[in-house]
Amino acid sequence: MDLPLLSASFLAFTLTLYVILDGFDLGVGILLLFQPAKVARDHMVDSITPTWDGNETWIIMAGVTLLAAFPIAYSILLPAFYLPVILMLLALGFRGVTFEFRVQSKGHRRAWDVAFGVGSLVAALTQGFILGGLMQGVTVQNRHFAGSVLDIFRPLPIISGITLLFGYAVLGAGWLKLKSNVSLQYFASRSLRVFAPAFAAFFGIACIYAVRIQPGIRAQWASHGIALACLVSLFAIAAGTLTALSGKSRPALPFVLGLLLFVVGISGTALIVFPQIVPFSVSLWDAASSSTSQRLVMIGAACVTPVVLAYSAFAYWIFRGKTPENGWEA
Amino acid sequence: MTPSGIIATLAGWYVAETGRQPWVIYGILRTVDAVSPVPSQALLSTLIAFVCVYAVFLTAFLIFTFRIIRRGPVEAPPYAEASGSIKNAFRPHVLDSPKRLADSQFS
């Protein structure tokens, strides 16, 4: 059995779940910056309170899988993305404490909400930077990172950061439309009208720019041209539908379309990166740990993943339907 | 005496970390060989950022904690808390609907 391929599939699975699940709650956090009404902000935070920390489980799973199953990739990618990773952790930490602190705060609720929004925004940006850093290629010599930690501040990671920021805002607006009352649905629709076309446009720019600067991506286009072209058209159709219908659709449709956009984007990314794990220099078999370690990781994952999936599903099920007007505890 | 447990834990940790040098994994991997290729300026700036951010967290935490202690215990809510039963957990908004709220006051 091809253990590295199995581990890599599990890694892709955890990263996908992380991006779409934490994506929508980070998106709600970003949209908090554009919501002037305190009551509406409370309602927005209430819509993600029951599930946001469960959503972040998946990035820990992804990190552990990368470390245990692909230690060489871990030792190259973590130094390469040192600055965005640390910034992301600080931003997520900021956002994590703000959930509690904003409720305790007496006179400074607005300031804590700004911290909440900025934390979400920085987390989204830095994740986009990391994606862009992967797409522009990582400098590797003798299986060691040989570039500079500042390589990440080039045009492609910056474009990619903004793209992911808009993408998360789209997911967040879709979530609000699904979970909230009429007045917030109006706010969600207005946000979608801005962020859906912006996301699609920046996604397009990022794709074109990435193809121009990275020969590795051109090579993947040459070999998977039809599949990638299908994904791009699917993305364009979904983004167009989302923009056109943002005002008058059923409450669930924007969120479903947002998820579709992300699944398509992630599939395209996977198609471009595979079979490398450090684009475009180290393959996942070259970066894999010993088969004993791989087996241990996969046995652990097989035990833990169903439990995590079950309790996450349980949490979503309990808090299904519209978020109550006065919060869950009232 | 309150902080003595924290001091003991931290002191034990310091002894373990410094006592193990120059190894990071005793007898297997030296600390020098385990260092990542991240320049020291980057490490220093993120260390400063961590200290600053956590100082803000700690300050806010202490302010809120002392405020809660000063306020004292809160009176129990007039309605029943959501019970631990799975049957209730499966009902959305158990406490949200006025009828359920009224019901729960009698149960």
Side-chain angles (χ1 to χ4, degrees):
Chain A
M1 194 166 185
D2 194 341
L3 281 169
L5 189 62
L6 192 66
S7 306
S9 312
F10 180 70
L11 182 60
F13 170 75
T14 54
L15 274 178
T16 307
L17 275 180
Y18 173 74
V19 168
I20 60 180
L21 294 179
D22 209 30
F24 79 72
D25 66 54
L26 288 173
V28 171
I30 294 163
L31 294 177
L32 215 58
L33 291 171
F34 303 96
Q35 177 54 263
K38 180 189 163 294
V39 181
R41 287 203 306 273
D42 287 349
H43 196 58
M44 286 164 74
V45 175
D46 281 336
S47 79
I48 54 173
T49 304
T51 46
W52 74 275
D53 43 2
N55 295 344
E56 288 183 357
T57 314
W58 298 102
I59 199 171
I60 300 166
M61 291 255 239
V64 171
T65 310
L66 189 66
L67 171 64
F70 302 102
I72 291 169
Y74 187 93
S75 73
I76 295 168
L77 295 178
L78 269 283
F81 303 139
Y82 179 75
L83 293 176
V85 165
I86 298 290
L87 253 178
M88 177 184 83
L89 290 179
L90 288 172
L92 288 177
F94 232 98
R95 212 180 78 107
V97 299
T98 319
F99 269 99
E100 305 298 330
F101 285 178
R102 67 184 293 283
V103 185
Q104 295 294 333
S105 171
K106 273 183 188 153
H108 306 95
R109 177 73 71 95
R110 183 78 220 232
W112 283 111
D113 283 345
V114 171
F116 192 112
V118 171
S120 311
L121 186 132
V122 171
L125 268 179
T126 48
Q127 287 171 15
F129 268 69
I130 294 169
L131 175 66
L134 282 172
M135 289 294 113
Q136 73 179 0
V138 181
T139 315
V140 178
Q141 265 166 17
N142 299 325
R143 295 172 157 200
H144 286 289
F145 174 59
S148 152
V149 281
L150 299 175
D151 285 353
I152 203 79
F153 299 106
R154 285 188 189 151
L156 184 59
I158 294 169
I159 297 169
S160 162
I162 298 168
T163 310
L164 200 62
L165 178 67
F166 289 156
Y168 282 174
V170 167
L171 276 183
W175 177 256
L176 286 179
K177 182 123 184 169
L178 176 69
K179 296 294 280 186
S180 63
N181 56 26
V182 177
S183 66
L184 255 186
Q185 282 191 344
Y186 179 66
F187 170 74
S189 299
R190 266 187 316 163
S191 309
L192 277 171
R193 263 198 295 281
V194 177
F195 288 112
F199 177 39
F202 267 82
F203 184 80
I205 295 170
C207 288
I208 294 166
Y209 189 75
V211 169
R212 277 194 44 167
I213 63 158
Q214 179 48 254
I217 298 181
R218 280 201 292 280
Q220 292 296 72
W221 263 96
S223 49
H224 306 296
I226 298 171
L228 285 170
C230 288
L231 287 174
V232 169
S233 345
L234 195 56
F235 190 95
I237 294 168
T241 319
L242 190 56
T243 313
L245 288 180
S246 59
K248 43 196 173 295
S249 71
R250 296 165 62 89
L253 189 68
F255 188 59
V256 172
L257 283 173
L259 290 182
L260 180 68
L261 288 177
F262 268 84
V263 170
V264 167
I266 293 166
S267 310
T269 311
L271 208 55
I272 283 170
V273 172
F274 187 82
Q276 318 291 325
I277 193 159
V278 182
F280 293 82
S281 45
V282 183
S283 84
L284 54 98
W285 293 277
D286 289 338
S289 53
S290 70
S291 66
T292 321
S293 307
Q294 298 267 331
R295 214 165 285 137
L296 187 72
V297 174
M298 284 301 97
I299 292 170
C303 299
V304 171
T305 313
V307 178
V308 179
L309 279 174
Y311 74 59
S312 303
F314 188 57
Y316 278 94
W317 174 254
I318 291 174
F319 296 99
R320 69 190 179 279
K322 297 285 176 193
T323 306
E325 210 63 52
N326 302 316
W328 298 105
E329 287 170 33
Chain B
M1 281 305 279
T2 313
S4 57
I6 299 171
I7 293 170
T9 310
L10 287 178
W13 189 20
Y14 274 55
V15 169
E17 291 295 325
T18 40
R20 200 182 48 239
Q21 297 310 317
W23 301 98
V24 66
I25 305 173
Y26 190 73
I28 296 175
L29 183 64
R30 280 175 177 273
T31 310
V32 211
D33 302 322
V35 170
S36 68
V38 175
S40 51
Q41 303 96 301
L43 290 172
L44 183 66
S45 40
T46 52
L47 182 65
I48 292 170
F50 264 107
V51 171
C52 294
V53 168
Y54 274 82
V56 174
F57 291 172
L58 183 67
T59 314
F61 171 76
L62 290 176
I63 290 173
F64 293 141
T65 307
F66 282 116
R67 193 185 286 165
I68 291 168
I69 294 171
R70 223 178 300 124
R71 208 187 297 142
V74 193
E75 212 180 308
Y79 51 82
E81 294 285 347
S83 85
S85 104
I86 296 229
K87 222 159 85 189
N88 259 350
F90 274 116
R91 296 187 197 139
H93 321 163
V94 170
L95 297 176
D96 194 45
S97 87
K99 188 181 166 297
R100 289 262 168 73
L101 195 62
D103 286 352
S104 65
Q105 282 173 356
F106 296 105
S107 57

